[in-house]
């Protein structure tokens, strides 16, 4: 398959890219790792008249500690670099645990952290993880910048808060809190395939041992990351023992998701997976929370 004809721009700076994007916002697309956009163009599912290739912009590729103990990741940082970063492992262990599930390592060598988040595939792992972590996204356009919570960024199927001419420039992952546990679980037909269902979980235990915060976010069961509000409510304020975890997972599958049936799995099977994976993820996250959770080295 060959893409439709397009013009290719290769800016060297963010300003140059934003100028190009401002000129032709309606028929232009940023090109990051190309691991989703290029196949879509080859199948003519996407036919942008112009590509603004971000690959020469070194200023968009970095991982930096933030002063509060979190980490800032430039949008063009390759997924594989993030996966192997000691800084990210120390400050955002959920990201490190999840990245090996994203496609195959050849794809992660090219695919970017920001590209996956901006693409907003409902079966992608990183959007659900960003929402579970409470990440914040820096969006830039010519002459302006704004910040948005990951949970507000996702607005529907392959739809985000990005406006024409805007780029996702940076993602800030908050610092790990004491007694905060994390876990990621998914099932795919083969490792590296898009997940049939996945779940990212963050759970915090109070000093008294009760759960005082729970974020449970699912992928592949809706039009984007699905926040399991009812399951989280079933957990908060409890000791999160085996029976509470089972009940929260049951509530999640019964009331928080309305999964689709498609070629890959029936809605019934996805619901069953939702319950089993949520139970496993919660059990691991609660264990980690009770063991003290992740503690960042304070700068
Ligand atoms: P691109 O393909 O370059 O861009 C994707 C979209 O985002 C485009 O619309 C582009 O314009 C836009 N975009 C990119 N960067 C920005 C930015 N900074 N600001 C604004 N818009 C931007 N992904 C998963 O999550 N899980 C999987 O299991 C998985 N399996 C895969 C299997 C295969 C065989 C392949 C080919 C891909 C798979 N992917 C999977 C997708 C892969 O992770 C991609 O890397 C990712 O979705 C897109 O990242 P990219 O950097 O390649 O972006």
């Amino acid at each position: 398959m060959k893409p439709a004809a397009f013009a290719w721009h290769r800016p060297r700076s963010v300003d140059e890219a934003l100028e190009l994007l401002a000129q032709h916002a309606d028929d232009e697309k940023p090109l990051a790792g190309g691991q989703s956009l290029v196949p879509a163009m080859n199948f003519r599912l996407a036919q942008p008249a112009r590509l603004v290739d971000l690959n020469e912009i070194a200023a968009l590729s970095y991982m930096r500690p933030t002063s509060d103990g979190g980490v800032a990741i430039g949008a063009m940082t390759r997924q594989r670099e993030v996966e192997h970063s000691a800084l990210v492992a120390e400050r955002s262990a959920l990201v490190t645990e999840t990245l090996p599930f994203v496609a195959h390592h050849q794809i992660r060598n090219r695919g970017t952290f920001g590209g996956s988040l901006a693409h907003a595939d409902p079966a992608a792992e990183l959007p659900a993880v960003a929402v579970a972590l409470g990440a914040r996204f820096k969006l830039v356009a010519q002459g302006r910048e704004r910040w948005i919570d990951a949970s507000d960024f996702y607005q529907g199927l392959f739809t985000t808060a990005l406006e024409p001419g805007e780029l996702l420039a940076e993602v800030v992952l908050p610092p790990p809190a004491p007694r905060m546990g994390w876990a990621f679980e998914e099932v795919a037909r083969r490792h590296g395939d898009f997940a049939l269902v996945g779940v990212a979980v963050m759970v915090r235990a109070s000093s008294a041992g009760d759960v005082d915060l729970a974020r449970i976010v699912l992928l592949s069961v809706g039009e984007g990351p699905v926040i399991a509000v009812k399951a989280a409510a079933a957990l908060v304020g409890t000791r999160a023992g085996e029976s509470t975890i089972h009940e929260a997972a049951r509530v999640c599958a019964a009331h928080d998701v309305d999964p689709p049936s498609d070629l890959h799995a029936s809605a019934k099977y996805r619901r069953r997976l939702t319950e089993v994976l949520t139970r496993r993820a919660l059990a691991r996250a609660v264990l980690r929370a009770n063991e003290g959770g992740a503690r960042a080295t304070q700068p």
Side-chain angles (χ1 to χ4, degrees), residues 117-131:
L117 293 169
H119 188 52
D121 189 317
E125 289 83 0
L126 293 179
V129 164
V131 173

Side-chain angles (χ1 to χ4, degrees), residues 29-39 54 75-76 79 101-104 107 110-116 118-119 123-127 162 166-169 186 192-195:
K29 269 194 170 293
L31 173 69
Q35 299 302 299
S36 295
L37 182 54
V38 171
L54 307 177
M76 283 300 290
Q79 293 158 5
F101 291 96
V102 177
H104 311 277
I107 291 165
R110 286 300 298 168
T112 64
F113 197 70
S116 176
H119 188 52
E125 289 83 0
L126 293 179
L162 277 168
E166 234 174 9
L167 273 184
L168 170 61
E186 77 169 40
D193 281 3
F194 279 103

Side-chain angles (χ1 to χ4, degrees), residues 231 234-235 238 240-254 272 274-276 278-280 282-283 286:
L235 207 64
T238 74
E242 197 178 326
S243 62
T244 330
I245 288 175
H246 279 231
E247 176 58 9
R250 189 197 64 76
V251 167
C252 185
R272 176 77 187 128
T274 299
E275 182 168 348
V276 172
T278 303
R279 195 167 65 217
R280 286 182 192 161
L282 283 176
V286 167

Side-chain angles (χ1 to χ4, degrees), residues 163-215:
E163 288 170 6
E166 234 174 9
L167 273 184
L168 170 61
E170 182 179 278
V171 178
V172 172
L173 308 174
R179 300 182 67 81
M180 179 81 99
W182 70 95
F184 181 82
E185 287 280 339
E186 77 169 40
V187 164
R189 291 172 75 105
R190 295 166 303 187
H191 184 81
D193 281 3
F194 279 103
L196 298 177
V197 174
V199 61
V201 163
M202 296 293 288
V203 170
R204 192 175 63 202
S206 71
S207 50
D210 294 341
V211 170
D212 65 1
L213 181 150
R215 290 198 211 108

